[in-house]
Each structure stands twice: as C-alpha cells, then as structure tokens.
Amino acid sequence: MRLTIKKSINDEEIIAGCLKSKREDQHALYEKYSAKMLGVCCRYLKNPEEAEDLMISSIMKVFEKLEQYKAEGSFEGWIRRIVINECLTHLRKNKSMYMAVDVENAEREPDYKLLSDRLVEEDMINLIQGLPDGYRTVFNLYAIEGYSHKEIAENLGININTSKSQLSRARALLQLRLIEAEKIVDQKIVDQ
Amino acid sequence: MNDRRIDEFFKSKLGNAEIQPNISANGKFLAQLEKRKKGFTWWKVAASIAILGVATWLFLSPNEISKTVEIGKSLETEAASTSPELIKTDGVDNLAQITDVAPEVDMQEQVPLITKEIEPDVEIVAHVQVAVNKATIPKEKMTENFVPEQKIEDTIIIPTLEELPDLSNELQVASNEQIVDGKELPAVRITYISGKKKRQMTETMAKTDTSKVSPLNRIFIGAISLADGSLIAGLRDAKEDFFNRKND
C-alpha cells in the first residue's frame, strides 16, 4: 500500500510553482480550488458534466493568466472572477439567455429558518438550476456574487432594466419553489 | 425586505458551496495539462526543425554553389568597364554601388542595356556579379580622373542549370562606355531573356545612394568580396537564390 501525505501549500508557493509550470503546483492548485470552483460553475450551468468541463478549462485559463495576477485581492477571489467570466462567456456563446416567463407572485413568504435547517446545498443548487438561464445568471451575479445592476448589464450586454426585471422574476420563481419545498419538508415532518 | 431575505438565504447557503468533482475530472485535468505542455513542446520542436533545415540548406550546399561558380568564372565581360567610378572608393562600398538597384535611376536614358535572347526551351537563371580587386590599384592613383587599366577582374555569370550557353562573345557593352562630357555613366544593367515564358532576369549595377542600403543588405553586399563557401557568402547566395526564385 502506498501512503501519500498531502502537504498544505499556501497560495504564494502555488503561484510561484505554477509560474514555473511545475506540474506538482499546478495539481496542488487544482486540488485546492476545484471543488469551490465547481460549486460556482454548477450555479451557472444546469448540466453537471458541462459545469465540470468548464471548471477544468477555467483552471487552465488561470494558468494562462497567472502572470497578470498582482496579489491585490485574494487569490481565490481572482480565480472566482475568471471562473464566472468563463461561465458567462459559455452561456452567451451557447444559449439565448433571455426568455420572459410569466411568474405569479407568491401568496406568502417561505419559512427561511425551517428551510435553512432542512435543505442541503445540493437542494439549493437544484432550485437555482431550475431557473431559466437568464434569470439564473442575473440572480447569481446580483444575489450571490454581489454585482450591481450596472455591472451585470455591462457584463451581459443588456440594459439595466432588463437586469432588474430578470432578477425580480428569478426571485418570484425561487420563492414559489421554496414554498413548494417547504410543503414537502412539512409533510416529511408529519410523516415522522 | 422580502427580496433581501431571499438573496441572503441563497448567498449564505451557496456563497461558498463546494462540490467535489468526479474522480474522472482529475484525469481530464491532467490530460489538458499534458496537452498544454505538449503544445508548447511541439512549438519548440517545430522551431528547431525549421532552424536546422535553413542551416542545412545554407551550409551543406556550397558544393553546388562552387560548381556553378566554376562555370561562371570562365565568362568574362567588359561590362563593368563603363563605370570607372565604381572603384573610386572603398571596395565594399563600391560593391554596394555595383549590386544595389537604384530605384531613382532612369534606366531608359542612363543605363546601357545588354540584352541576350536565349533559345526557347533553354531555361536558365543567371545573375551577374561584379568583383573589383581594390588591392591592385594604388591609393595615390585613386583620383577623380583616374581610370585603371584593369578595372574589373571578374564578371561572373552563375547559372543554376549547367546548360548555360557561352555568352562571353555575345555579351556586348553599350557603345558609349567612355566618359561623355566629363560625366560618367552611372550604371550598367545586363538583362537576359530566357525560355518560352520570356522570363527576364535582370541584374542592375547602378550608382546607388548608399544611405538607402539597409544594414542587412550591406552584409550581403560585403559578402561578395568573401570567398565562396564562407558563412556570409553562403547567406548572400541564399538570399540571391531566394529572390531569383521569387522573380520566376
């Protein structure tokens, strides 16, 4: 049996090694950030295999652009921006992102505390992946990444009002689905 | 308020969500890494092969060059004797004047032309090199009016095919080879027209503004005075070959 000991390498060492194209450090970067970046990709893309491929190609892009990294912010944040940009490029290239779907407003607010205890990350990702591409993209950028509507409009090549309306519809859809999820959770509690 | 709550709910749950990639993803990553590295290596290999190819072409072909030079050496003309000014100054610069094409010279009026029609089906590529042996002329004699007895030692016609006919008797220098009204002729152009396609190979020996000669060209020009087979002479021949082929 072969025993492997993983040594923890900090970002500076990884960056220095990757700049010298050292295979070991490139693999260390993958090991350290692949799960986090796949989490990002899965929020933007429905297909898990597609998300995985995009995560890998984004890390390759990181190697290509590494010389441009100026250590001004966190390394993880820098990688995340590259991954998000790759996702947006992929979505723009492959799909028509904007589709108006009539969404009725929810009658009530879901019980966020109950849902927070009962829903796992996978359920939440499934909820987001169920949104149409445009809604999902704008919601991700605004609610999770913290982009402004102006930044979203610039990144996606849409106008600010479109961004706002897409976000509003995304929220309404998510709220409806959270209420449905809440009903299922309630039913399970009763069954128990 | 409602909007903020739903945003925060998703952000808290998914902001730092991690999803472990499949085991196969690691293999895909390594394969892409390998592909990226290979791409880089192939670029290097391709560059090395190209450099080796050029080096081989330049340095392993002097036999062929010297063979053609042997043929060419037997053909001597008086062509350059119409331009005594060509040997007034430094040898290398003279050669620059001889071999560089002067775009500003009005060829119709000032340049005597020597044209040779060659039998159809005989495809030749020839160029003329004029070599001046500066060493034979004493410095003190190099005045404006000095006309050396043997101004041009060699006019070498180098064919790329061995069937070059003996042109020595037929090459004629233009009649006005003397200094006319104290004004020397600025240049001599020798033209061969060959083959069915009426290809025209022209080598012009003209007075050129040397300031317009590029440094690289100066190296090639200077190489004319070097022995065949040497590094720069090899480059010179390669350059001439290249441009002759291009003209074809």
Side-chain angles (χ1 to χ4, degrees):
Chain A
M1 196 175 86
R2 195 174 158 194
L3 182 70
T4 53
I5 301 168
K6 273 188 186 176
K7 66 170 182 178
S8 135
I9 311 175
N10 64 35
D11 285 344
E12 284 76 21
E13 284 176 79
I14 290 176
I15 293 166
C18 289
L19 282 171
K20 290 173 188 166
S21 297
K22 284 187 180 172
R23 180 67 63 88
E24 193 186 316
D25 292 301
Q26 288 173 328
H27 198 252
L29 187 144
Y30 173 82
E31 289 284 323
K32 189 169 180 180
Y33 292 110
S34 60
K36 285 180 184 175
M37 297 312 139
L38 185 57
V40 175
C41 292
C42 283
R43 281 194 281 114
Y44 286 87
L45 304 173
K46 281 181 187 175
N47 184 333
E49 284 177 9
E50 217 174 331
E52 206 169 74
D53 288 345
L54 202 69
M55 178 272 291
I56 293 168
S57 64
S58 301
I59 290 181
M60 292 297 157
K61 198 91 174 181
V62 167
F63 296 145
E64 272 174 38
K65 292 190 167 185
L66 201 54
E67 285 181 357
Q68 296 169 22
Y69 175 63
K70 291 174 184 169
E72 283 166 356
S74 79
F75 187 48
E76 186 185 327
W78 185 75
I79 295 176
R80 188 181 284 261
R81 274 198 298 280
I82 289 177
V83 173
I84 291 167
N85 284 338
E86 285 294 295
C87 289
L88 297 181
T89 307
H90 180 83
L91 285 166
R92 274 199 301 260
K93 216 187 283 176
N94 296 294
K95 288 157 191 171
S96 78
M97 280 177 60
Y98 302 101
M99 180 174 66
V101 176
D102 288 333
V103 185
E104 289 175 17
N105 285 328
E107 297 158 1
R108 61 178 178 88
E109 233 186 344
D111 184 347
Y112 290 114
K113 193 174 180 308
L114 175 74
L115 290 170
S116 183
D117 292 341
R118 293 283 172 164
L119 293 181
V120 292
E121 284 174 356
E122 199 183 336
D123 299 324
M124 304 282 285
I125 284 177
N126 284 337
L127 282 172
I128 290 218
Q129 283 181 339
L131 293 172
D133 289 342
Y135 296 0
R136 188 173 64 247
T137 308
V138 174
F139 183 79
N140 269 316
L141 290 172
Y142 187 91
I144 301 176
E145 284 9 300
Y147 282 45
S148 67
H149 281 298
K150 195 184 168 198
E151 287 169 324
I152 294 170
E154 282 168 3
N155 270 287
L156 300 179
I158 56 174
N159 69 46
I160 292 175
N161 288 332
T162 308
S163 173
K164 284 179 182 173
S165 67
Q166 298 273 314
L167 178 67
S168 156
R169 285 172 178 157
R171 279 172 177 156
L173 261 178
L174 283 173
Q175 208 167 349
L176 284 172
R177 284 173 190 174
L178 281 173
I179 290 169
E180 284 168 16
E182 193 186 318
K183 283 176 187 169
I184 295 167
V185 169
D186 283 342
Q187 189 60 45
K188 278 185 181 173
I189 292 170
V190 170
D191 290 346
Q192 282 170 2
Chain B
M1 184 65 191
N2 185 24
D3 291 344
R4 246 187 232 170
R5 285 190 73 183
I6 197 167
D7 289 357
E8 278 167 16
F9 175 68
F10 276 94
K11 189 175 183 178
S12 63
K13 280 278 188 181
L14 297 179
N16 292 308
E18 293 189 13
I19 298 174
Q20 285 301 326
N22 288 329
I23 301 166
S24 63
N26 191 44
K28 280 184 195 172
F29 168 75
L30 291 174
Q32 283 212 18
L33 211 57
E34 189 65 29
K35 198 175 160 189
R36 188 169 172 262
K37 200 179 174 185
K38 267 188 181 172
F40 183 67
T41 309
W42 277 112
W43 176 83
K44 275 184 175 175
V45 171
S48 307
I49 290 170
I51 290 166
L52 273 174
V54 171
T56 310
W57 178 57
L58 285 176
F59 300 114
L60 297 185
S61 57
N63 290 341
E64 198 179 313
I65 292 166
S66 58
K67 196 177 171 187
T68 54
V69 167
E70 284 302 314
I71 299 163
K73 271 185 179 174
S74 64
L75 302 171
E76 290 186 4
T77 75
E78 294 173 348
S81 63
T82 55
S83 303
E85 67 177 11
L86 295 176
I87 53 168
K88 273 183 197 168
T89 56
D90 178 74
V92 173
D93 281 345
N94 268 338
L95 292 165
Q97 291 176 358
I98 294 166
T99 54
D100 256 54
V101 176
E104 287 148 14
V105 171
D106 183 348
M107 294 297 179
Q108 294 300 321
E109 290 183 6
Q110 297 183 19
V111 181
L113 301 177
I114 304 162
T115 302
K116 168 67 182 166
E117 288 283 350
I118 295 168
E119 291 291 317
D121 297 323
V122 180
E123 296 257 322
I124 68 157
V125 177
H127 58 264
V128 176
Q129 295 174 358
V130 180
V132 178
N133 190 348
K134 180 191 161 197
T136 58
I137 304 158
K139 265 191 174 178
E140 57 272 20
K141 286 190 177 181
M142 287 186 173
T143 60
E144 276 191 14
N145 298 323
F146 172 69
V147 179
E149 290 173 9
Q150 182 64 44
K151 294 171 286 281
I152 303 300
E153 281 200 337
D154 286 334
T155 296
I156 304 165
I157 299 172
I158 302 176
T160 51
L161 297 176
E162 291 184 13
E163 296 86 359
L164 180 68
D166 184 359
L167 304 175
S168 56
N169 296 326
E170 297 171 46
L171 274 173
Q172 289 180 9
V173 181
S175 58
N176 52 350
E177 55 191 22
Q178 308 298 323
I179 299 169
V180 181
D181 297 333
K183 194 179 174 184
E184 294 160 2
L185 290 168
V188 171
R189 188 175 71 186
I190 300 177
T191 303
Y192 300 96
I193 299 169
S194 65
K196 286 175 179 171
K197 297 173 190 169
K198 292 282 178 194
R199 291 184 308 156
Q200 187 164 322
M201 299 300 301
T202 302
E203 184 77 17
T204 304
M205 295 173 287
K207 187 173 181 181
T208 305
D209 181 0
T210 50
S211 66
K212 289 179 183 171
V213 178
S214 72
L216 185 64
N217 223 10
R218 276 173 178 273
I219 293 171
F220 287 122
I221 290 159
I224 288 173
S225 61
L226 297 172
D228 285 299
S230 72
L231 171 66
I232 301 176
L235 284 169
R236 171 205 66 202
D237 292 333
K239 175 210 166 198
E240 285 171 358
D241 271 0
F242 174 76
F243 284 112
N244 284 341
R245 282 176 196 176
K246 214 175 172 188
N247 286 336
D248 287 351

